[in-house]
Amino acid sequence: MATGEPVGRRAFVAGAGAAALFAGAGPAEAAAPLEGTLPDFHPLLKDELRFPLAWGTSPIRDFRAWRRAARAKVEEHLFVARDDTPYAPEFGERSTQGEGFTRELVTFSLSRYGRVRGALLTPHGTGPFPAVLLLHDHGARFDIGKEKLVRPWSDGSRLPSAQAWADRYFDGRFVGDELARRGYVVLAVDALGWGDRGPVAYEEQQALAANLYHLGSSLAGLMAREDVRAAGFLAGLDRVDRRRVAALGFSMGAFRAWQTAALSDDIAATVSVCWMTGLKEVMVPGDNILRGQSSYYMLHPGLARHLDFPDVASIGAPKPMFFLNGGLDPLFPADGVRVAHDKLRAVWRSRRAEERLRLRTWPDLGHVFTAPQQDEVFDWLDSVL
């Protein structure tokens, strides 16, 4: 789900309306088109989505067995194989001192398809330290990725864009720098299409996703596998206490955070800011998710026949997880957030671990991660890590 500029909507006439047109009937006789490229039979498709593998609905009653089965089902729909390529990191490129931490660029093999360059922040002092994998948003802004969350130091040309992004969504703060000052090792890496691995143009996303499908792969699946690999790399650093690694993301990064927690045992806690909903509640005419394009980064074909978004996140239970939403967020209607929160609460309650789940809606805020919200999240991370 993107936060970028709207693209033109095209009406899609399907079912009886389309049949009438093809039979030679005039436009006045056709069924009324729907906005958002939804077919006119989409309510029937939604009714068929029962999420039969969800915890509590699935016939599997042992939670560990269910978690294995649900994770396997998600992995089956990634269309990207697991990857054990050695990371072979190169550290220290263009390092510099921050306020209480050291910045360095680290290059490593994120997958068998290539090496990437990540921003790595390390607190001063003696480790091992707790750590946070920071996962950047989408936002239809591709010239910066990791720089949305970590102040760029090695390429000054990216600082104006990065600062403008931080001003717009994070009250001028760079979330990664704030975490490093508080004693966390921080890793941020560009997803395919952003920063060092882009930029892709907004209108090219759909073709990129389609071409990966043609190649037997998946854009969303690749991002999911890479995020799990990044978590494993971070957890394996000598400076990191591998028992205390969290994933944190905003917007699309929030989706990535709970998805990584579901798929990786290296993640001990998760913060998801402004991306959680029930699927059916956003599959409605006019919703942002219907545009395609950006949605392909979060689309695993066929998975909705088995699991809803909160069902996937629940694979991470009973890890400590914090889901934060804005009550005025136009991308995530309140009913969708409520449905998702109810599902999440039921899972953690079934594990007698409800105190490990924090569900928070800031009623007067939209699609942002403000300084007060950040402070609340940082305090929560301190308490669980």
Side-chain angles (χ1 to χ4, degrees), residues 4-42:
E5 302 82 9
V7 296
R9 294 195 182 279
R10 293 167 294 173
F12 179 68
V13 183
L21 288 173
F22 288 128
E29 300 174 59
L34 294 177
E35 271 196 325
T37 64
L38 276 172
D40 62 4
F41 52 85
H42 75 275

Side-chain angles (χ1 to χ4, degrees), residues 53-140:
L53 192 51
W55 175 248
T57 302
S58 167
I60 303 173
R61 293 293 180 243
D62 177 80
F63 188 78
R64 290 184 180 181
W66 171 81
R67 185 167 53 193
R68 288 193 298 270
R71 179 184 285 186
K73 184 58 67 175
V74 175
E75 292 183 338
E76 176 187 325
H77 285 77
L78 298 184
F79 303 147
V80 177
R82 295 184 187 184
D83 196 334
D84 295 320
T85 302
Y87 291 113
E90 298 175 13
F91 293 94
E93 182 185 357
R94 301 183 189 175
S95 63
T96 184
Q97 297 298 311
E99 300 173 15
F101 61 93
T102 300
R103 304 181 179 98
E104 61 185 320
L105 294 175
V106 55
T107 302
F108 63 100
S109 296
L110 190 56
S111 75
R112 60 187 174 278
Y113 304 120
R115 294 171 65 77
V116 300
R117 189 169 61 175
L120 183 65
L121 311 181
T122 304
H124 294 164
T126 303
F129 303 99
V132 176
L133 175 64
L134 277 185
L135 299 160
H136 67 74
D137 60 71
H138 187 292

